[in-house]
Amino acid sequence: MARGTLRIYLGAAPGVGKTYAMLSEAHRRVERGTDCVVAFVEHHHRPRTEVMLHGLEQLPRREIEYRGGTFTEMDVDAVLRRAPKVALVDELAHTNMPGSRNTKRWQDVEELLAAGIDVISTVNIQHLESLGDVVESITGVRQRETVPDEVVRRADQIELVDMSPQALRRRMAHGNIYRPDKVDAALSNYFRPGNLTALRELALLWVADRVDAHLTEYRSEHHVSAIWGSRERIVVGLTGGPEGRTLIRRAARLAEKGAGGEVMAVYISRSDGLAAVSPKELALQRRLVEDLGGTFHQVVGDDIPAALLDFARGVNATQIVLGVSRRRSWQYVFGPGVGATVARESGPDLDVHLITHAEVGKGRGLPVARGARLGRSRVISGWLAGVLGPLLLTWLLKSIVPDIGLANHMLLFLTLTVAAALLGGLLPALASAVVGSTLLNWFFTPPVHTLTVADPQNIVAIVVFVGVAVAVASVVDLAARRTHQAARLRAESEILSFLAGNVLRGETGLEDLLERVRETFGMESVALLERAGEKDPWTCAGSVGPRPATTPDAADVDVPVGDHMALSLCGRVLPAADRRVLAAFAAQAAVVVDRRRLKGEADRAEELAEGNRIRTALLAAVSHDLRTPLAGIKAAVTSLRSDDVEWSEEDQAELLEAIEEGADRLDHLVGNLLDMSRLQTGTVTPIIRETDLDEVVPMALGAVPEDTVDLDVPESLPMVGVDRGLLERSVANIVENAVKYSPPGERVLVSASAMADRVEIRVVDRGPGVPDEVKDRIFEPFQRYGDAPRGDGVGLGLAVARGFAEAIGGTLHAEDTPGGGLTMVLAVRTAPGRRREQPDVSPAVTS
């Protein structure tokens, strides 16, 4: 049975119109005669969404009893029995009730697809598992209901349902998404313009990356080598010279002119993985391109123009930026240069920009060292000069140039031998000496056209020629190889110096270092493996590339680091000459791992230092803030025990009241100190239970006067999963702080509302407020803002409140109150298993 197809409507936020778009598509398919049913769509009693369900067959849902309540979920068995062509399944990331067939709804969808049923579903960008941390950093809310990215990526079609933040906020204000009592909280929190803009950008970029992946896959499957300019990708060719920074900035300006432009800087290194460029300059250029939003790549290739064009076509680039050659004018006799070659061979689909810079015409310096190997083309040239050169010289001397004497003939043939040594090394030079001496004997030494020599002096001359030719060839070859070896050693020292400097300064992470190893040596994957002992299994400390080795024996190249660590490379076998540099990479990778562990220990030491700081501050606070109420109690008790004063009943009541107030104040201070101590030592263990807020919040107001607080906690709110005691203490501290800073006669508002999978408690005061730069600092221990007098507390109330909020999985942050003042927002999660209220959907859809 063929697997069904999955179509997903993806949105940036609740309310953009995903469900409406899905229902509209269902109506279109039904009109075309397609067997389409509604497996699960929640309309939340919204008339416009409910109208869209009319005319569509809706399958019955499965009822589940859970903790005294009845809930409904999609009946997978009913859908499988009905076996429609297309099933509509809303809210792909939804978590099913306990007792359901599967834990997550996307698992239900997988069963329908496996049965050959096509599925249309919806999901928001914030529910993708890989984006959880990013969404939390943007909105301050951690999404508990997620769907694996791979599930969404496997969809046959993904359609983005888009809407501008301004339009979405208008829909929210009109009551088309949430009920009116939730609109204000939503607009001031999750649906802020900045949040919506960032989420919209996430959705657009995620869909764009998927489209780009599909395009790359299509080009690979259909062997498309031509450039398709679907988006501007600009490749910058770097040589490691100082002009590289100019090229990168110019490419960034070109990318800014087109929407979605991307800059990719590439440095072509030789096949031995080493370069005679300045590692410091290359590191600066790498940092610059990353700061400008581009990426840096290092590829291997001896033919620089071909490697650069292959890279550009492989990434579907549309433009190449190169610098005008630094060679002097006379150096062009050796070839047209990289820029001209790339421009000639780029073809009509790839634009090449040659950028002028300050280094034009100043010379390229010494040739780039290529190591001890001379290269295939150079060796071939040496053999041609050593074998064909003497034949060509003989023809010239016999047919064109008159007889110039045996001595001159020997010098000319010796010159060819030296040239063969310079080009191809010792063996071509020896061949040239043998061929040259034979030709000298045959054509120019009497008697000619024989291999005999009549004059003994000529015999000596030929022997001297062969000896000199071999000696000169040996010396030239040895000098060339020593020069190459010196260049290789210099390049090794430079790259090792650069590597050590980056690692020791902490500029390179483990994955970045392994990626550099992979790019430098042209490997498929690189992994750093470690184990605790000789008999323990290998574990992966870090890896890059597909299918990394899991044991050193499974790798093509294995470099041990100590007794319990190894750098394993897969892709090809490296020559022995490269292992020295690879061993340095392996050692630096071990340094990175050790530094990461040391950083963890340093963080723990910092925590201990923070604990010491808090203890010091605690002693300073105790020396004053705790002694103040004690002094008041002591004075009142001493007065009551005095025998020389006759106190009236009113006076006695006043003194007893002072004692009671001092004791309460002292109890409150000691409670906060103990709570902060528990938070710092990590001994707070919350007991999470389902709780009604209307039972907890009123109890938290017992410490403030009744006429100072207005309470608005609807009974219809969903139950939350919290520790009741910790939540009560957190709310109590927040309310007491708000009452303390509220002007006389102004009441503090404590309200609660539900949004998505959480409930927010908002404590609103009309006090002086707090500047934005101080909002985070007021939650630090022993901090009191403004002119709060000594004796009003040790500055732990809000710190304890945030600590308890985080302990129960919630968040606490401060916002400005419209019209002046400060609003504390305490957000807690709804109880697991309870139906979250899903956002309403307006009929207007943009897709």
Side-chain angles (χ1 to χ4, degrees):
M1 179 183 296
R3 179 180 172 87
T5 61
L6 175 61
R7 178 171 183 171
I8 293 178
Y9 287 94
L10 176 69
V16 296
K18 303 178 300 299
T19 304
Y20 195 92
M22 178 178 66
L23 294 173
S24 299
E25 175 64 20
H27 280 288
R28 287 192 290 270
R29 297 198 181 199
V30 170
E31 291 173 359
R32 295 196 299 264
T34 304
D35 183 16
C36 183
V37 302
V38 176
F40 187 94
V41 171
E42 188 67 64
H43 59 75
H44 299 291
H45 304 291
R46 297 162 184 163
R48 294 173 181 174
T49 307
E50 194 170 2
V51 167
M52 290 298 297
L53 288 169
H54 293 168
L56 298 176
E57 179 184 351
Q58 301 184 50
L59 298 181
R61 301 182 183 182
R62 180 186 177 190
E63 294 187 352
I64 298 177
E65 300 289 338
Y66 181 71
R67 294 188 178 182
T70 301
F71 305 91
T72 61
E73 295 286 0
M74 181 175 69
D75 192 336
V76 180
D77 292 326
V79 181
L80 294 175
R81 286 194 300 270
R82 172 62 174 76
K85 174 61 178 175
V86 180
L88 306 185
V89 182
D90 206 3
E91 303 167 7
L92 186 64
H94 170 72
T95 300
N96 293 328
M97 291 293 300
S100 300
R101 183 188 187 97
N102 295 301
T103 304
K104 304 288 290 187
R105 184 163 292 165
W106 64 263
Q107 296 171 327
D108 296 338
V109 169
E110 287 293 319
E111 285 197 40
L112 301 183
L113 294 173
I117 300 174
D118 296 342
V119 177
I120 305 177
S121 188
T122 64
V123 71
N124 281 329
I125 192 69
Q126 65 263 30
H127 293 299
L128 294 183
E129 198 169 72
S130 66
L131 300 178
D133 295 337
V134 180
V135 173
E136 183 179 11
S137 67
I138 294 171
T139 64
V141 179
R142 183 70 179 185
Q143 296 294 330
R144 303 301 172 182
E145 291 191 329
T146 59
V147 58
D149 287 47
E150 185 59 28
V151 173
V152 182
R153 290 185 184 277
R154 286 201 305 264
D156 299 273
Q157 296 183 61
I158 296 179
E159 184 169 344
L160 178 65
V161 183
D162 190 26
M163 178 175 286
S164 69
Q166 295 76 13
L168 186 57
R169 283 173 60 84
R170 284 197 298 271
R171 296 183 63 185
M172 173 71 72
H174 293 159
N176 293 329
I177 301 177
Y178 293 150
R179 295 198 305 267
D181 60 324
K182 302 178 182 179
V183 170
D184 290 339
L187 289 176
S188 61
N189 190 13
Y190 194 87
F191 283 79
R192 291 195 295 262
N195 287 2
L196 296 178
T197 302
L199 292 173
R200 187 187 190 196
E201 183 180 19
L202 273 181
L204 292 171
L205 290 175
W206 195 90
V207 174
D209 287 342
R210 177 174 169 80
V211 172
D212 195 46
H214 273 303
L215 179 61
T216 302
E217 182 180 352
Y218 179 86
R219 285 165 49 85
S220 176
E221 291 176 353
H222 293 79
H223 306 288
V224 178
S225 58
I227 301 297
W228 286 2
S230 54
R231 62 185 295 189
E232 289 294 338
R233 280 193 181 91
I234 303 175
V235 171
V236 185
L238 301 179
T239 64
E243 76 281 358
R245 283 172 278 178
T246 302
L247 304 183
I248 293 171
R249 293 189 181 96
R250 179 59 175 153
R253 290 196 297 271
L254 288 173
E256 290 175 357
K257 295 179 180 180
E262 182 180 357
V263 176
M264 309 175 75
V266 58
Y267 171 71
I268 311 295
S269 61
R270 300 289 183 179
S271 58
D272 55 16
L274 302 173
V277 301
S278 169
K280 181 179 180 180
E281 179 63 32
L282 206 58
L284 291 174
Q285 295 174 16
R286 181 173 194 152
R287 191 177 299 115
L288 174 61
V289 71
E290 291 173 352
D291 290 342
L292 293 176
T295 56
F296 182 90
H297 304 267
Q298 185 171 345
V299 299
V300 179
D302 286 325
D303 189 342
I304 293 179
L308 184 60
L309 288 171
D310 289 343
F311 176 83
R313 293 192 174 100
V315 299
N316 200 28
T318 56
Q319 302 180 55
I320 295 180
V321 173
L322 298 173
V324 175
S325 178
R326 287 183 283 132
R327 296 187 299 175
R328 302 185 188 277
S329 57
W330 61 268
Q331 291 178 305
Y332 282 96
V333 299
F334 299 108
V338 173
T341 305
V342 170
R344 184 182 66 247
E345 299 178 1
S346 61
D349 51 359
L350 189 57
D351 297 334
V352 179
H353 302 267
L354 293 179
I355 308 300
T356 58
H357 49 84
E359 303 298 321
V360 174
K362 292 186 176 180
R364 297 180 57 87
L366 295 176
V368 176
R370 298 184 59 179
R373 297 188 296 271
L374 296 176
R376 181 179 179 184
S377 60
R378 186 167 170 179
V379 171
I380 292 175
S381 300
W383 279 104
L384 291 176
V387 176
L388 299 182
L391 297 175
L392 180 60
L393 178 60
T394 300
W395 177 78
L396 290 174
L397 293 176
K398 295 297 291 183
S399 61
I400 299 176
V401 182
D403 187 12
I404 57 175
L406 182 60
N408 291 325
H409 292 160
M410 288 184 176
L411 290 176
L412 291 174
F413 279 99
L414 182 61
T415 302
L416 283 177
T417 302
V418 173
L422 290 173
L423 289 174
L426 182 60
L427 292 180
L430 293 178
S432 177
V434 172
V435 174
S437 61
T438 302
L439 293 175
L440 277 173
N441 189 356
W442 184 269
F443 288 103
F444 303 105
T445 306
V448 295
H449 302 128
T450 64
L451 294 179
T452 59
V453 180
D455 190 348
Q457 294 182 354
N458 293 336
I459 296 177
V460 174
I462 292 176
V463 172
V464 170
F465 164 76
V466 174
V468 171
V470 172
V472 171
S474 300
V475 171
V476 171
D477 177 74
L478 181 62
R481 292 184 179 275
R482 289 289 183 265
T483 301
H484 294 153
Q485 291 170 359
R488 180 183 180 91
L489 292 175
R490 181 172 68 88
E492 285 184 7
S493 64
E494 288 179 350
I495 198 170
L496 294 178
S497 174
F498 165 72
L499 182 63
N502 268 16
V503 172
L504 294 178
R505 288 193 301 269
E507 298 176 1
T508 303
L510 179 60
E511 284 70 23
D512 294 334
L513 182 63
L514 296 181
E515 179 63 27
R516 171 145 192 177
V517 174
R518 189 177 72 87
E519 289 184 348
T520 298
F521 294 96
M523 306 300 286
E524 180 181 352
S525 64
V526 180
L528 183 65
L529 307 176
E530 61 178 349
R531 60 181 178 180
E534 293 292 339
K535 298 183 179 180
D536 294 315
W538 290 95
T539 59
C540 182
S543 66
V544 295
R547 299 178 298 278
T550 56
T551 62
D553 295 337
D556 294 317
V557 181
D558 171 32
V559 180
V561 187
D563 296 330
H564 306 301
M565 191 174 291
L567 185 66
S568 301
L569 295 82
C570 296
R572 63 189 177 94
V573 178
L574 293 178
D578 291 337
R579 287 184 171 266
R580 179 167 50 187
V581 177
L582 190 57
F585 272 108
Q588 296 299 349
V591 171
V592 172
V593 174
D594 291 340
R595 190 182 70 243
R596 188 164 59 184
R597 290 172 179 163
L598 291 174
K599 185 178 184 302
E601 295 178 2
D603 292 340
R604 290 190 291 272
E606 186 177 352
E607 292 178 0
L608 295 176
E610 178 66 15
N612 290 332
R613 186 189 70 81
I614 290 179
R615 282 191 288 272
T616 302
L618 174 61
L619 293 175
V622 168
S623 66
H624 184 278
D625 293 281
L626 292 184
R627 293 180 63 184
T628 300
L630 285 175
I633 295 173
K634 175 66 175 176
V637 171
T638 302
S639 298
L640 288 175
R641 289 174 57 96
S642 176
D643 297 333
D644 54 351
V645 179
E646 186 70 26
W647 300 102
S648 64
E649 292 184 0
E650 292 80 4
D651 292 336
Q652 291 180 6
E654 184 176 350
L655 290 173
L656 290 174
E657 183 180 0
I659 293 173
E660 185 177 15
E661 289 180 355
D664 290 341
R665 186 171 162 190
L666 189 61
D667 179 69
H668 180 72
L669 292 174
V670 172
N672 276 340
L673 290 171
L674 292 177
D675 290 340
M676 180 53 61
S677 175
R678 292 167 60 203
L679 290 171
Q680 292 294 330
T681 56
T683 57
V684 176
T685 305
I687 302 176
I688 306 298
R689 294 191 179 94
E690 292 186 357
T691 304
D692 284 322
L693 284 182
D694 56 356
E695 297 178 0
V696 177
V697 176
M699 298 178 62
L701 309 181
V704 297
E706 294 182 1
D707 59 347
T708 59
V709 178
D710 288 332
L711 186 62
D712 179 18
V713 180
E715 295 182 358
S716 60
L717 290 175
M719 300 183 74
V720 295
V722 297
D723 184 300
R724 296 187 60 168
L726 297 183
L727 178 62
E728 181 182 337
R729 291 294 303 276
S730 183
V731 174
N733 282 0
I734 298 171
V735 173
E736 289 177 18
N737 185 78
V739 171
K740 181 190 305 182
Y741 286 98
S742 291
E746 290 286 350
R747 300 166 73 94
V748 173
L749 173 63
V750 180
S751 64
S753 60
M755 186 171 66
D757 59 350
R758 67 186 191 280
V759 175
E760 291 185 347
I761 303 171
R762 305 176 74 86
V763 180
V764 183
D765 68 60
R766 296 292 178 179
V770 174
D772 292 339
E773 62 271 14
V774 185
K775 282 187 173 62
D776 285 335
R777 202 161 62 241
I778 61 176
F779 293 101
E780 296 178 4
F782 306 103
Q783 296 292 323
R784 286 179 292 190
Y785 175 68
D787 56 354
R790 298 289 297 180
D792 280 3
V794 293
L796 287 176
L798 293 182
V800 171
R802 173 173 274 188
F804 282 167
E806 293 176 348
I808 60 177
T811 60
L812 175 62
H813 67 276
E815 296 179 355
D816 291 329
T817 301
L822 192 67
T823 298
M824 292 289 178
V825 183
L826 173 61
V828 294
R829 293 172 296 180
T830 56
R834 292 289 179 177
R835 288 285 301 158
R836 273 76 160 175
E837 296 198 49
Q838 300 298 327
D840 200 355
V841 179
S842 167
V845 175
T846 57
S847 61

